[in-house]
Amino acid sequence: MSLPSCDVTIIGAGLAGSFLAVLLARRGDRVQVFERLPDMRRSQVPAGRSINLALAARGIRALELAELMPKVAPLLIPMRGRLLHDVDRTLSFMPYGQREHEVIYSVSRPGLNGVLLDAAERAGATIHFRQELVDVDYACRKLIFLDAATGRRHEVPMGTVIGADGAGSVLRRAAVTQLGLDCTEELLPHSYKELILPADAHARHRIEKHALHIWPRGGFMLIALPNLDGSFTVTLFLPKRGEPSFESLQNDAAIEQFFARHFPDAYELIPRVAEEFGKRPVGIMGTVRCRRWHVDRHVLLIGDAAHAITPFHGQGMNAAFEDCRELLEILRDATTWAEAFDRFETRRRPNAEAIADMALENYVEMRDTVRDPKFVLKKELSLELERRFPSRFVPRYSMVMFHDEIPYRVAFERGRIQETILNELTETATTLDEVDYERAAALINARLDPVA
Ligand SMILES: Cc1cc2nc3c(=O)[nH]c(=O)nc-3n(C[C@H](O)[C@H](O)[C@H](O)COP(=O)(O)OP(=O)(O)OC[C@H]3O[C@@H](n4cnc5c(N)ncnc54)[C@H](O)[C@@H]3O)c2cc1C
């Protein structure tokens, strides 16, 4: 027996909140969404949010099940691999996968969010913009909102509530202080800033369009993802303090010198870099880990509100969409919301922990180890092993990005085993030809079960 439809309040009309509103409204629930920002379909995205994102298999599967891909597909630009930029301007390409469909897609955040908001409204959800959740009273079961238009506070009774209010979730923090919810928010000692590398005079991309560009520089890096208008969104990831850092880049001369020295090819393509740098905000990044995602039986945290992660695996949004898809599946045969929330947390939390750890590991890989010849050999070898032993060996990156049927936790565990195999096989080898493939077969058969 499926759960009867009910009144659901969603906090936040970002990627998770608006997608979940589509799914629940179509299920027959009466959905009210409260969003602190103005309607992004009619106003600019506030500075400081990532302007474009990488969409991969898990996100696509969820959007496909909701039949939203026809609307999303025109917004996508395939990226086939990493294009690394050395300081001496040498370029090297590392494919993400080895099959035609093994690509990830650059997508505009406001474009995608707009599609989801339209679909949510079409499905019957009501979205209240400029309504910021400012307080929660769990004891009296009240949500307190600030209406930006009137400057007044108003209360909404707490029925079934889903917190999709992002990494700084007010709903979560109130549960921590009022109900003793056990959560940690671990900030990275690095921050980020976004700049624009504009299109050429004919609205064409000035660097390779179908790649995710990386300028890895050890303790810091620059990356760029393509936009449909021919521009790229360029993101600098840099320590907050030390040398070099956001703190040390305090004047125009220091900023110009920093870009010219470390990213000479990008520097030539970003006009007035110091001026732009000065205008744009610095964003913070971190990992949120909570022991519970559902509180008080009627309240669930989802997406970044439950498990914000660092952006280095390009999976936060993908994981948030997967959350929504799995919650819908669970609701189909649950008898109460509390039971559904409990099952959702049990199923999803180990996966969220795994992708949080993999995202942190990927940061070191992207900014640093990606330049190491041993790392490059291991990447090539993992693709070769996948070719030779496709039922047992799938590179970890591919499991996360292209295999939505493999849960993150399984990808993490198999990835650990695979890493030891790769280390053993490349101990003495310096090229693929020098690898002992008979030993590879023995190690793989002994340590890895066939992929389910
Ligand atoms: C630099 C950067 C790059 C990223 N790149 C990728 C990528 O390539 N691929 C990927 O999959 N993920 C990426 N992510 C992660 C991704 O952005 C998040 O995981 C995703 O946005 C989570 O969706 P969400 O709906 O849970 O949270 P959000 O998108 O943050 O949405 C939360 C919504 O709630 C609203 N809100 C917040 N507080 C309140 C309140 N008190 N009252 C009412 N409304 C409120 C906000 O305005 C917002 O609309 C990146 C993140 C960053 C920072």
Side-chain angles (χ1 to χ4, degrees):
M1 198 186 66
S2 124
L3 194 59
S5 55
C6 86
D7 295 314
V8 180
T9 304
I10 298 179
I11 316 296
L15 296 168
S18 50
F19 185 52
L20 191 62
V22 177
L23 302 181
L24 295 183
R26 285 189 188 163
R27 211 187 73 91
D29 296 314
R30 293 167 297 280
V31 180
Q32 305 276 329
V33 188
F34 292 85
E35 166 59 49
R36 73 173 167 198
L37 297 175
D39 187 344
M40 60 162 58
R41 293 166 295 182
R42 289 166 190 87
S43 52
Q44 281 225 318
V45 184
R49 308 294 308 284
S50 65
I51 299 160
N52 56 16
L53 304 139
L55 179 69
R58 291 167 207 272
I60 291 174
R61 176 169 171 202
L63 294 167
E64 262 168 0
L65 282 172
E67 296 175 357
L68 289 169
M69 275 312 280
K71 296 264 185 224
V72 173
L75 306 176
L76 304 182
I77 301 177
M79 299 183 290
R80 303 192 195 291
R82 297 169 169 168
L83 192 59
L84 305 183
H85 295 242
D86 278 350
V87 180
D88 67 4
R89 296 168 191 256
T90 309
L91 296 179
S92 39
F93 183 71
M94 297 175 85
Y96 279 136
Q98 51 191 337
R99 301 184 182 93
E100 191 59 26
H101 70 275
E102 290 182 343
V103 298
I104 59 175
Y105 297 90
S106 178
V107 63
S108 136
R109 181 191 289 270
L112 177 57
N113 216 149
V115 167
L116 299 176
L117 291 170
D118 285 346
E121 285 176 340
R122 264 201 317 276
T126 307
I127 305 169
H128 307 274
F129 292 98
R130 304 182 72 203
Q131 301 291 328
E132 180 178 2
L133 178 71
V134 285
D135 207 352
V136 184
D137 187 336
Y138 279 101
C140 300
R141 305 193 52 80
K142 281 187 302 200
L143 300 166
I144 297 113
F145 291 95
L146 176 67
D147 180 335
T150 62
R152 291 211 191 96
R153 288 174 171 236
H154 61 100
E155 293 177 3
V156 171
M158 251 174 140
T160 299
V161 180
I162 300 189
D165 49 342
S169 169
V170 168
L171 203 62
R172 183 188 73 237
R173 287 178 178 165
V176 170
T177 52
Q178 295 173 33
L179 305 174
L181 181 72
D182 186 358
C183 275
T184 58
E185 297 179 20
E186 200 181 306
L187 283 186
L188 216 59
H190 295 221
S191 300
Y192 73 94
K193 190 179 278 245
E194 293 183 327
L195 299 165
I196 292 292
L197 189 161
D200 71 8
H202 307 285
R204 285 181 309 224
H205 295 87
R206 297 167 86 186
I207 52 179
E208 170 56 46
K209 177 179 175 184
H210 295 293
L212 192 154
H213 296 258
I214 310 183
W215 290 257
R217 297 295 181 262
F220 56 98
M221 69 174 177
L222 194 69
I223 68 165
L225 273 74
N227 296 313
L228 287 175
D229 65 1
S231 68
F232 280 80
T233 302
V234 175
T235 311
L236 173 66
F237 295 95
L238 190 65
K240 291 175 187 160
R241 278 173 276 285
E243 189 57 51
S245 67
F246 281 110
E247 191 180 64
S248 72
L249 295 181
Q250 278 308 337
N251 57 58
D252 287 4
I255 296 162
E256 297 275 346
Q257 209 179 31
F258 172 74
F259 273 84
R261 177 170 164 213
H262 296 290
F263 315 113
D265 51 350
Y267 175 63
E268 285 165 12
L269 299 174
I270 305 174
R272 302 177 308 280
V273 73
E275 193 186 319
E276 288 300 313
F277 193 91
K279 278 196 234 159
R280 291 170 184 267
V282 175
I284 54 170
M285 297 171 286
T287 306
V288 169
R289 296 177 204 261
C290 291
R291 277 181 64 82
R292 304 298 307 267
W293 290 355
H294 72 105
V295 285
D296 209 19
R297 299 186 62 78
H298 303 279
V299 178
L300 178 74
L301 302 170
I302 202 162
D304 275 15
H307 52 75
I309 59 176
T310 55
F312 307 111
H313 220 307
Q315 280 293 311
M317 162 188 65
N318 288 282
F321 287 163
E322 200 175 53
D323 277 356
C324 299
R325 179 181 67 72
E326 293 205 6
L327 178 62
L328 191 76
E329 246 172 60
I330 289 168
L331 285 173
R332 279 198 194 114
D333 49 22
T335 49
T336 65
W337 285 82
E339 176 204 330
F341 290 172
D342 200 34
R343 278 171 49 196
F344 173 77
E345 181 192 298
T346 307
R347 198 198 290 186
R348 291 298 293 163
R349 209 160 58 79
N351 291 315
E353 303 249 324
I355 189 58
D357 290 340
M358 290 191 280
L360 285 167
E361 286 179 15
N362 232 39
Y363 187 29
V364 183
E365 175 176 319
M366 282 175 88
R367 67 175 205 242
D368 202 357
T369 33
V370 76
R371 301 179 303 173
D372 172 7
K374 192 61 135 191
F375 170 85
V376 176
L377 176 64
K378 285 199 285 181
K379 273 271 168 208
E380 287 169 358
L381 179 58
S382 54
L383 291 174
E384 180 60 30
L385 294 179
E386 186 186 30
R387 274 191 288 273
R388 290 174 184 247
F389 313 100
S391 63
R392 285 182 195 255
F393 195 106
V394 181
R396 187 173 94 175
Y397 185 85
S398 301
M399 286 192 273
V400 171
M401 304 306 272
F402 310 131
H403 287 264
D404 50 272
E405 76 286 4
I406 302 180
Y408 289 126
R409 184 187 48 77
V410 175
F412 190 45
E413 285 161 7
R414 291 183 76 94
R416 284 245 181 281
I417 299 169
Q418 292 182 172
E419 187 61 20
T420 61
I421 295 174
L422 291 169
N423 284 337
E424 286 175 42
L425 293 174
T426 56
E427 222 159 32
T428 51
T430 53
T431 66
L432 280 188
D433 290 340
E434 289 168 23
V435 171
D436 178 347
Y437 290 104
E438 272 179 31
R439 184 159 169 239
L443 291 174
I444 289 170
N445 287 328
R447 296 185 196 168
L448 290 168
D449 293 332
V451 179

